[in-house]
Amino acid sequence: MTIEQLQKDMMAAMKAHDKERKDAISSLVSAVKKNAIDAGCRDAIPEDMVNSTILKELKTVQEQIDTCPKDRTELIAEYQKCHDIMQEYAPKLLSKEEVQKIVTEQFAEVLATKNKGQIMKTVMPHLKGKADGKVINEVITELTK
């Protein structure tokens, strides 16, 4: 996902008077811009930074849904709508089976050490933003048993 595409979609939501969609996309755009400024690449924002920011914001909204009191149904519905909109922009993550295949094929020599910390240190940079960290951890835990 590119920042330009997010901004186009935000403008389209503004023109359609879709406040919920505009707000959700606007929060993604502002988070991406903030991360870009912090990283020192305000003008040329790389696509992987946009994707990682979207995943982080998605996780934040999921935490809001999980921690919201159950009797606040209108608030939960609002968070869920925001989550659903952000989910459309999130990059497709690898499944557990795909992660396992990549780890066993490309990192066989490190996997042979059975040192979980060393394996994670080697694998994470390769799969960051492509797979959920929890899934990677589960796969490596199973393979090092």
Side-chain angles (χ1 to χ4, degrees):
M1 178 61 55
T2 63
I3 187 71
E4 292 81 14
Q5 183 62 46
L6 280 175
Q7 289 172 327
K8 274 186 208 168
D9 290 355
M10 185 176 71
M11 293 296 273
M14 289 169 121
K15 289 177 182 175
H17 300 288
D18 188 349
K19 184 177 177 349
E20 291 174 328
R21 187 170 191 76
K22 184 210 63 108
D23 289 346
I25 299 170
S26 176
S27 70
L28 289 177
V29 169
S30 63
V32 169
K33 285 183 177 181
K34 181 188 178 308
N35 283 352
I37 290 169
D38 291 348
C41 58
R42 176 186 289 194
D43 298 327
I45 302 172
E47 202 167 312
D48 62 328
M49 180 183 285
V50 175
N51 288 336
S52 65
T53 304
I54 291 171
L55 290 173
K56 186 174 185 222
E57 290 297 307
L58 200 56
K59 194 175 279 188
T60 302
V61 173
Q62 184 61 52
E63 287 173 8
Q64 288 175 326
I65 292 170
D66 294 343
T67 59
C68 188
K70 299 300 176 208
D71 59 337
R72 299 289 309 271
T73 54
E74 75 287 343
L75 197 56
I76 292 174
E78 184 181 317
Y79 290 151
Q80 188 61 51
K81 178 80 171 158
C82 183
H83 183 273
D84 294 342
I85 292 167
M86 287 181 179
Q87 188 71 46
E88 295 173 24
Y89 296 99
K92 183 187 177 299
L93 296 177
L94 298 172
S95 70
K96 189 173 181 178
E97 292 77 26
E98 292 170 319
V99 170
Q100 190 167 5
K101 183 180 180 201
I102 290 171
V103 169
T104 53
E105 288 176 0
Q106 296 181 8
F107 301 100
E109 67 283 348
V110 180
L111 203 56
T113 65
K114 298 283 188 192
N115 181 343
K116 187 176 174 186
Q118 184 64 38
I119 297 167
M120 288 294 283
K121 193 186 295 184
T122 307
V123 171
M124 283 306 286
H126 182 73
L127 294 178
K128 189 173 178 95
K130 296 178 185 173
D132 187 26
K134 289 180 184 177
V135 172
I136 297 170
N137 191 13
E138 284 176 22
V139 168
I140 291 176
T141 302
E142 288 174 10
L143 292 174
T144 55
K145 285 183 180 178

